[in-house]
Amino acid sequence: MKKTLLLGSLVATGFGAGAATAATLDDVRAAGQVKCGVSTGLAGFSAPDANGEWQGFDVAVCRAVAAAVFGDPSKVQFVSTTGQTRFTALASGEVDVLARNTTWTFSRDADLKFTFVGVNYYDGQGFMVKKSLGVSSARELDGATVCIQTGTTTELNLADYFRVNNMSYEPVPIETNAEALQQYLAGACDVYTTDASGLAASRATFADPENHTILPEIISKEPLGPLVRHGDDEWADIVRWSLNAMIAAEEYGITSANVEELAKGTANPEINRLLGTEGNLGAMLRLDAPWAKNIVTMVGNYGEVFNSTIGEATPIGLARGLNAQWTQGGLLYAPPFR
Amino acid sequence: MAEIRFVRTAMLPPQEPPVSQIGAVRWVRENLFSGWLNGVLTVASAAFVVWLALHVGPWFMNAVWNAGSLAECREILAGTDGACLAVIRDRWPQLLFGFYPSELYWRPTLALLLLFVALAPALFPAVPRQLLWFSAIYPGLAYWLLWGGTLWFPVVALAGFAVGIAVFIALRPVLPLVAPFAGLVAPVFWWLFAVVPVTGLLAAVLPVGITPVRSDSFGGFTLSIIIGVTGIALSLPLGILLALGRKSDLFLVKTICVGFIEFIRGVPLITLLFTASLLLNYFLPPGTNFDIILRVVIMVTLFAAAYMAEVIRGGLAAIPRGQYEAADSLGLDYWKAMRLIVLPQALKISIPGIVNTFIGLFKDTTLVVFIGLLDPIGLSTAIRANTNWNGIYWELFLFIGAMFFVFCFGMSRYSMHLERRLKTDHR
């Protein structure tokens, strides 16, 4: 009886936890920083530099939220999370927002009770093979040995793809990306499969990238985006529109270089509303009027962040592809700021 | 009368031993080629060593120390095979100290040096006993150096022990039966209810403090050593108590100890770590700042204590029954008999097992990588994720492995020294 009572009260505390975190914005303001869950290390997306400063494409989302809330992109406490700990860290309130190249799926949204606020990178699963294999399409991979990370959606996608195309394969299950690359380079498998961005990043690190090729087939949809807990729409809006502000800023040609100039007022009312010189969009989010201007000034617009962290000028060397603006044939489409 | 044909009157000068029985030749014959099987094995091993040296040697010889990225390393190597040790040169402070502020590196370093000072009286008999006082305050001092903040917090926390002893001494003449329990309970109440307000009060009256450093700044070997040393230091006394409890005649004590030991030993450490990092978060009220390093240290300590208890129980079982009876016949009570007669012998027997557990515990600290703490292995992933060093693999693992080897080999050598020093038998 006593044990049941104790367990009952523990569970009640747990539910109390869910209810009490309703006003995340107030908690964040009280703490003086945004607690942001990032990957423990993914090339170009999140990694600490030699001084321990976190850098990367996902990290920029955290910094954008901090810039919007505090006007200071350094007010972020980065919590490194692994594939196993990330969802619990978010659900339990250890982090306020998770920006950790997480695929937006139905069950994560509905069953795990998270709100995906948008997509900051459209990825998809691809294949890398050695050129000497003489393969030019994934359809020719019948009977291949495939290096694959266990416990990921890529494993399931691979099985689906080979079954649909009536091909057989021999999986070589491997725990981490670095280990998988060693195995692939040592010839333990013919093919390495993971997200196309990861393949491009890995290929760039090889001593002989010209001897490896990434096959044109993309076999899955991997929309990666930041997410927050269910139950606090106000906070979800702040993160969603911080991301949208970065995307919209690129669309309207607002960069960290010209934002000061444009913030003095322009003929374009949409730019004025975004930068807070017209209307009161900031107040609707309970933020300062120049919240979006702060994001662009301190972090940059979507294109600037992309180019400096994972773009073609970096060793990762990813092309914009699907991640171009809708006006450029991509999928990025920020709703109007009105 | 037998005729004596020959009697040697002078001793022959001793001859040189045959060539095969002296010097290097004899050593080689005895140790390397004492039979055809050993001869074959020797040749095969020598061939393997040469092969290894030929393959790994150039890799080390060509090592590049000055480069800013893996690409630059490859440029310098220009196609030859070589290690890119520049990554170690670039990132060794991070591998050692994690994200600790670089201007404060002296603090963990000093804490480590003082650790050896604090350990000295326990490890070497030649050191003056007065130094034990330093060992007693070292935990508070190390906490203060590592985490910073107000000096009063560790002082007030350590004062809890003084409170416990004071309550025990004050109550002993009045209520001799209640005194030990009161002495145990009083510090707990002190830590739960008095530490925070008293610290606040003292800090307001006399602010003494250094820059605080948050737990998420800890990483690399600093983190491994903190978890390892705390776990080792706490698991030994806890393990002794559990071992004694398991051999106790009191049913309740025995059941609790057996249950605890069997439960912890039946669960993998990684499960306990996940419990510490994930499950506890659901139960604790939101906003509770139950430090993740503290949670991990508690779990690692409990885990090691269960193993330690069994190692020490083995030592206790090896003590002949006569020793217990001798202690009883001298009129010693339970604690005195254990402290003066049984435990010194049992612990001596258990030294190899104890050090074994210590080394295992220290290496197990790398498991925290699975709950997202950046220990050396976790940092190697993070370093590899940096665009400069993406693709580097063996160099980081070799460095981490070498560091762990130094610590574990040190512990192992000390345990052998201790065994020789405490050797009292005549085998």
Side-chain angles (χ1 to χ4, degrees), chain B residues 127-144:
Chain B
V127 177
R129 297 289 94 184
Q130 286 82 348
L131 214 55
L132 274 173
W133 282 106
F134 179 75
S135 311
I137 63 159
Y138 177 75
L141 182 64
Y143 173 85
W144 185 57

Side-chain angles (χ1 to χ4, degrees), chain A residues 42-43 49 77 80 94 182 205, chain B residues 74 94 216 281 372 385 390 393:
Chain A
L42 184 69
D49 66 9
Q77 182 189 347
S80 51
E94 201 179 328
Q182 292 294 320
T205 70
Chain B
R74 287 197 176 126
Q94 205 167 55
D216 54 5
N281 277 337
N390 194 356
Y393 193 76

Side-chain angles (χ1 to χ4, degrees), chain A residues 189-248:
Chain A
C189 47
D190 306 322
V191 190
Y192 178 44
T193 178
T194 187
D195 289 348
S197 64
L199 288 179
S202 302
R203 183 169 164 265
T205 70
F206 290 170
D208 54 342
E210 66 281 359
N211 293 336
H212 302 267
T213 179
I214 294 169
L215 299 178
E217 284 85 357
I218 297 293
I219 65 166
S220 72
K221 289 184 288 188
E222 308 280 348
L224 310 177
L227 55 155
V228 298
R229 280 180 296 278
H230 264 187
D232 187 356
D233 291 339
E234 192 191 28
W235 177 248
D237 286 345
I238 290 174
V239 182
R240 175 179 299 119
W241 288 95
S242 297
L243 176 62
N244 282 338
M246 292 169 76
I247 297 173

